[in-house]
Amino acid sequence: MLAYTVYSEAGGVGKTTLAASLAKAEERAGRDVLVVDLDTQEASLSHLLDVADDRDDDQADSLLRHMIDRPRDDFSELIKTSEGIDVVPSHNILEYASKHLRRREEEAADFGESWNPNKQLLRVLREAGVHEDYDTLIVDPPATADIKLHNAIHATRHLVIPFEPSGKGYESVRGLDQLVGGLEDQLGIEVGVLAVVPNRFKGMNDQERFLEQLRADGWDIPIRLRERSSLLEGCWAEQCTAFRYTEAHRDREREHETETLEKIERLAERIRETQAVEA
């Protein structure tokens, strides 16, 4: 199964839109796709794909309940479907994930049991048979490097990193190199970076220079996504992926948007090929 986490220290709607668009590209390629939303921001992937109805329902089951062995129903009941993509939506209780997971770890220790709070998403997905039911797993965590990110990386072992090609964005990606190394040491696993994806690219000389520096540092940059504010804003306004937006909410085909969607499909294919080689 193809599995990766879309993560950026900068966060923002660009990260989430890319995660949703990659999921849709996978679905369009005939693959069964599951997306796990660990981001508690209102502008999360659950909102973008219009599956966030239970976000603030205290009585609703949630992924965190499953991660701390307190489920209210089967894992399958968590899943909502949008545009052919299965989604485990975010829930506000995820804001307290660290507290609840650490408490569960302490309870296990009191009984002489070993219980790793960073491995619980992986455990839940394995017990639910996700690796048997799906071809692709994409996890969208928050921008903060907290226990939710640790769980995402433990479950997927691979990262796709969107960033804005600016001085700040360049340093953000460089900083991620240190973060990945630290997570590998902390979690005791190897983490691969499948692609670095510049977005809001405008072709300026400074941006080209940053990309060349990143390539020289050994990062794989298969595509560059240009500034597409109208498309991005339209996706959020209509709560859909870029593919659905151009098909259902544009009165005519726009060449530059078609080019963007083709790049996303090429990126999805490149990620599949890259992970297959690594595996």
Side-chain angles (χ1 to χ4, degrees):
M1 181 180 70
L2 172 68
Y4 56 89
T5 294
V6 179
Y7 177 72
S8 167
E9 284 185 318
V13 296
K15 169 184 74 74
T16 299
T17 306
L18 179 62
S21 295
L22 284 170
K24 184 60 181 177
E26 289 288 282
E27 188 271 339
R28 286 167 59 90
R31 297 169 66 85
D32 292 324
V33 184
L34 178 68
V35 177
V36 176
D37 184 7
L38 296 179
D39 195 342
T40 57
Q41 292 188 94
E42 289 296 327
S44 72
L45 186 142
S46 302
H47 175 78
L48 178 62
L49 294 181
D50 196 19
V51 292
D53 292 346
D54 296 332
R55 171 187 288 277
D56 58 357
D57 183 352
D58 293 339
Q59 301 306 309
D61 198 9
S62 68
L63 179 59
L64 182 59
R65 282 188 162 274
H66 288 252
M67 292 168 68
I68 62 172
D69 297 317
R70 299 289 187 274
R72 283 183 164 152
D73 213 330
D74 291 336
F75 177 84
S76 61
E77 296 300 316
L78 291 175
I79 297 172
K80 311 295 182 184
T81 302
S82 175
E83 299 186 37
I85 304 163
D86 281 357
V87 183
V88 177
S90 182
H91 190 282
N92 288 346
I93 198 173
L94 277 169
E95 294 179 10
Y96 309 103
S98 181
K99 180 182 76 171
H100 289 296
L101 287 165
R102 296 299 181 191
R103 180 185 295 166
R104 179 68 181 82
E105 180 184 27
E106 292 171 2
E107 291 173 356
D110 289 342
F111 289 93
E113 301 169 355
S114 176
W115 198 89
N116 189 331
N118 296 313
K119 291 184 177 181
Q120 296 313 304
L121 176 59
L122 176 61
R123 174 187 60 79
V124 169
L125 296 176
R126 280 179 173 171
E127 291 178 355
V130 165
H131 60 293
E132 299 172 349
D133 296 336
Y134 292 94
D135 302 306
T136 302
L137 168 69
I138 299 174
V139 182
D140 186 26
T144 51
D146 64 5
I147 201 165
K148 295 185 287 295
L149 174 64
H150 297 173
N151 270 271
I153 292 177
H154 236 304
T156 64
R157 309 295 175 96
H158 291 88
L159 291 170
V160 171
I161 304 172
F163 84 107
E164 188 170 341
S166 62
K168 181 179 179 182
Y170 173 71
E171 292 304 324
S172 174
V173 175
R174 292 285 298 271
L176 277 173
D177 197 16
Q178 297 179 345
L179 173 64
V180 169
L183 288 172
E184 288 180 326
D185 293 339
Q186 180 179 349
L187 302 178
I189 60 174
E190 291 187 4
V191 181
V193 177
L194 298 175
V196 172
V197 186
N199 55 41
R200 297 184 179 179
F201 180 75
K202 298 179 180 178
M204 296 185 295
N205 290 337
D206 282 348
Q207 292 181 323
E208 293 282 7
R209 178 168 55 84
F210 293 137
L211 296 189
E212 288 305 316
Q213 289 175 327
L214 287 172
R215 289 192 183 96
D217 291 340
W219 299 95
D220 186 22
I221 307 175
I223 67 165
R224 297 177 294 187
L225 296 175
R226 287 191 170 269
E227 179 81 40
R228 294 288 182 258
S229 297
S230 176
L231 178 61
L232 186 68
E233 292 169 4
C235 290
W236 285 94
E238 300 295 341
Q239 291 182 277
C240 62
T241 67
F243 292 93
R244 170 65 64 82
Y245 183 74
T246 57
E247 291 172 358
H249 301 287
R250 286 295 199 207
D251 56 2
R252 60 180 176 82
E253 184 177 288
R254 303 186 181 192
E255 184 176 345
H256 60 280
E257 292 183 348
T258 300
E259 178 188 15
T260 296
L261 299 181
E262 289 173 350
K263 284 183 176 181
I264 291 170
E265 289 188 311
R266 290 203 306 271
L267 174 61
E269 183 178 2
R270 175 65 172 269
I271 289 170
R272 290 196 298 271
E273 293 172 349
T274 302
Q275 190 170 21
V277 169
E278 291 197 2

